[in-house]
Amino acid sequence: MIFHYPAGIKNEKSSQKPPKSKISSLKSRKILSASNRGRDFEKAINETNEYYRNNALAVIYKRPTPINVVKVDYTKSATITKAYFEKQSTTDYNGVYQGAYLDFEAKSTHNKTSFPLSNIPHQQIEHLEAVIKQKGIAFFLIELKKKDEIYFLDAKFVISYYRKSKRKSIPFSELEKVGFLIKEGYEPRIDYLPIVKRLYFDINKNPS
Amino acid sequence: MIFHYPAGIKNEKSSQKPPKSKISSLKSRKILSASNRGRDFEKAINETNEYYRNNALAVIYKRPTPINVVKVDYTKSATITKAYFEKQSTTDYNGVYQGAYLDFEAKSTHNKTSFPLSNIPHQQIEHLEAVIKQKGIAFFLIELKKKDEIYFLDAKFVISYYRKSKRKSIPFSELEKVGFLIKEGYEPRIDYLPIVKRLYFDINKNPS
């Protein structure tokens, strides 16, 4: 059985960080199979953000998983001995791109025909609504594992589906119409910034 | 002895969340003495951000403290039994205000005459430089405990001091000249948004 550790969590055996050279040698990486890509999705986004940061294209980070620390042993160099994972009250990723605030959530589904909205906690919808009200750029990256595809979806579309539609999932046919397919590459792996630029910059701003 | 728990950390006895009514009844709160205000600084900023969110003025959160989880007991509803605090590689706070990306760090000093730059890790300086390069708004909130004062300081000033000055601290006289004093209020407690508006919006943008 493979454990799906929560965001940013490593198991004991692999708690050492991989050497820098391994991280950057993505070009030599083999193309991953669809099943591997599943649990690889978060890692791919983190690597993408790292690429963006290293190349001064954007400053976007994954928010750490909130943990409620109950007991700390200060005799053992502040070892946490009792704690619980807490729910993220926001989305997983945020940052800045050309002065604009970006905020997004990454979701994966094993479903074959539609993306279940039960994947999205109510708190996240409310958070994204607040971000949009503040003129932030809000979106989802959705991985369809069975189809081996990744879509960029404006959060407004997801919110309106969540708020107005009686259906509890977004059919893939709908998602393909409204979303933007992102082909996974080598570096960056999930290159979503060009879509952000096209959708929220090129249209709304006059070319200089 | 009073333990200064790291950000967001509670000790076991006080691990229950205070009732909502207590949080919102700030108006009835007595003005805190300078010594109380010290460890209260982070809480005051969190309450300010909560006020901004509740009143749809801005969406700003404290990033959770990153924790490296080593052992999890899944037989006891996913209790973390071994973990370590990690250093924040960014700043503590970020979010969106009127489309603009805000990123800031809060620091306190017990010093009487100057703010020591050793309070700021090199990583944070690099992070703030990257944010500024992306046209984000970057600043510090600095609490001078001995003077019972809070200053808003543009990050560019701190960075240039850090990079260029041979002195290892910013004298208060300098800080008072370049920074903006924030009087602590009731709701919001540390009202920094008007300064953000004045510094980064009113000057750079034409009045509509």
Side-chain angles (χ1 to χ4, degrees):
Chain A
M1 185 191 168
I2 295 154
F3 276 104
H4 286 259
Y5 288 89
I9 307 310
K10 305 147 196 160
N11 69 17
E12 191 153 27
K13 279 173 197 161
S14 67
S15 68
Q16 298 91 345
K17 282 186 183 171
K20 279 260 167 181
S21 62
K22 270 205 179 168
I23 291 172
S24 59
S25 71
L26 291 173
K27 275 177 188 158
S28 62
R29 212 170 39 81
K30 295 255 169 62
I31 293 170
L32 295 163
S33 71
S35 64
N36 278 336
R37 276 184 52 176
R39 56 200 158 86
D40 201 40
F41 191 43
E42 186 186 302
K43 195 168 166 265
I45 294 171
N46 290 341
E47 285 177 8
T48 301
N49 290 337
E50 199 184 342
Y51 174 87
Y52 288 158
R53 290 197 304 271
N54 290 345
N55 291 278
L57 295 168
V59 181
I60 295 153
Y61 280 93
K62 185 174 186 306
R63 291 181 170 105
T65 307
I67 288 173
N68 181 12
V69 175
V70 178
K71 252 188 218 164
V72 180
D73 187 345
Y74 285 100
T75 65
K76 289 180 187 169
S77 62
T79 303
I80 299 161
T81 55
K82 193 176 180 184
Y84 298 96
F85 296 109
E86 285 192 338
K87 267 192 189 169
Q88 190 73 273
S89 58
T90 60
T91 49
D92 270 351
Y93 303 89
N94 78 346
V96 58
Y97 168 65
Q98 291 297 315
Y101 175 80
L102 263 56
D103 197 304
F104 68 96
E105 181 67 22
K107 298 283 185 199
S108 284
T109 181
H110 277 289
N111 275 27
K112 283 176 188 169
T113 55
S114 67
F115 173 73
L117 292 172
S118 59
N119 263 349
I120 307 170
H122 188 68
Q123 271 182 313
Q124 269 180 0
I125 293 289
E126 287 183 331
H127 170 74
L128 289 167
E129 284 174 331
V131 165
I132 291 166
K133 206 171 174 181
Q134 278 302 321
K135 300 176 193 158
I137 292 170
F139 57 93
F140 284 83
L141 296 180
I142 295 178
E143 186 195 36
L144 316 183
K145 288 184 185 177
K146 295 292 182 208
K147 288 167 74 82
D148 194 12
E149 286 178 347
I150 295 161
Y151 281 90
F152 180 108
L153 212 53
D154 188 292
K156 285 188 193 121
F157 171 74
V158 179
I159 291 166
S160 95
Y161 226 92
Y162 184 93
R163 293 284 188 202
K164 289 173 197 160
S165 171
K166 281 172 186 165
R167 299 171 75 165
K168 284 172 181 171
S169 62
I170 304 174
F172 287 172
S173 58
E174 195 65 14
L175 207 149
E176 283 158 13
K177 247 189 272 166
V178 184
F180 296 83
L181 184 66
I182 303 177
K183 292 253 175 214
E184 184 166 350
Y186 290 115
E187 252 191 320
R189 287 180 64 183
I190 300 172
D191 196 12
Y192 60 84
L193 271 190
I195 300 172
V196 169
K197 188 172 179 296
R198 186 147 52 101
L199 272 184
Y200 306 99
F201 284 73
D202 294 349
I203 293 167
N204 298 320
K205 293 184 181 178
N206 295 322
S208 57
Chain B
M1 184 191 169
I2 294 154
F3 276 105
H4 286 259
Y5 288 89
I9 306 310
K10 305 146 198 162
N11 71 18
E12 190 151 30
K13 279 173 195 160
S14 66
S15 69
Q16 298 90 347
K17 283 188 182 168
K20 278 261 167 182
S21 62
K22 270 202 181 171
I23 293 172
S24 60
S25 71
L26 292 173
K27 275 176 189 157
S28 62
R29 212 167 39 83
K30 295 254 169 63
I31 293 171
L32 294 164
S33 73
S35 65
N36 277 335
R37 275 184 51 178
R39 55 197 159 88
D40 202 39
F41 189 45
E42 185 187 304
K43 194 168 167 262
I45 295 171
N46 290 341
E47 285 176 9
T48 301
N49 291 336
E50 198 183 343
Y51 174 88
Y52 288 157
R53 289 197 305 270
N54 290 344
N55 291 275
L57 294 168
V59 181
I60 295 153
Y61 281 92
K62 186 176 186 305
R63 290 181 171 103
T65 307
I67 288 173
N68 181 12
V69 175
V70 178
K71 252 188 219 164
V72 179
D73 187 346
Y74 284 99
T75 64
K76 288 179 188 170
S77 62
T79 304
I80 298 160
T81 55
K82 192 175 181 184
Y84 297 96
F85 295 109
E86 285 192 337
K87 268 193 188 167
Q88 190 73 272
S89 58
T90 61
T91 50
D92 269 353
Y93 303 89
N94 78 346
V96 59
Y97 168 64
Q98 291 298 314
Y101 174 81
L102 263 57
D103 197 303
F104 68 96
E105 182 67 22
K107 298 283 186 199
S108 284
T109 180
H110 278 289
N111 275 27
K112 283 175 187 171
T113 55
S114 66
F115 173 74
L117 291 172
S118 57
N119 264 349
I120 306 169
H122 188 69
Q123 270 184 315
Q124 267 179 1
I125 293 288
E126 287 183 330
H127 170 72
L128 289 167
E129 285 174 332
V131 164
I132 290 166
K133 204 169 175 183
Q134 279 301 320
K135 300 175 192 160
I137 292 170
F139 57 94
F140 283 83
L141 296 179
I142 294 178
E143 187 194 34
L144 317 183
K145 288 184 185 177
K146 295 293 183 208
K147 289 167 75 82
D148 195 12
E149 287 178 347
I150 294 161
Y151 281 90
F152 179 108
L153 212 54
D154 187 293
K156 284 187 194 122
F157 171 74
V158 180
I159 291 167
S160 94
Y161 226 91
Y162 184 94
R163 293 284 187 200
K164 288 171 199 164
S165 172
K166 279 172 188 167
R167 300 173 74 166
K168 283 174 182 167
S169 61
I170 304 174
F172 287 172
S173 58
E174 197 64 14
L175 206 148
E176 282 158 14
K177 248 188 272 166
V178 184
F180 296 84
L181 184 67
I182 304 177
K183 293 253 174 212
E184 184 166 348
Y186 291 114
E187 254 191 317
R189 288 179 65 183
I190 299 172
D191 197 12
Y192 60 84
L193 270 191
I195 300 172
V196 169
K197 189 174 178 294
R198 187 148 52 99
L199 274 185
Y200 307 98
F201 284 74
D202 295 350
I203 294 167
N204 298 321
K205 293 187 181 176
N206 294 324
S208 57

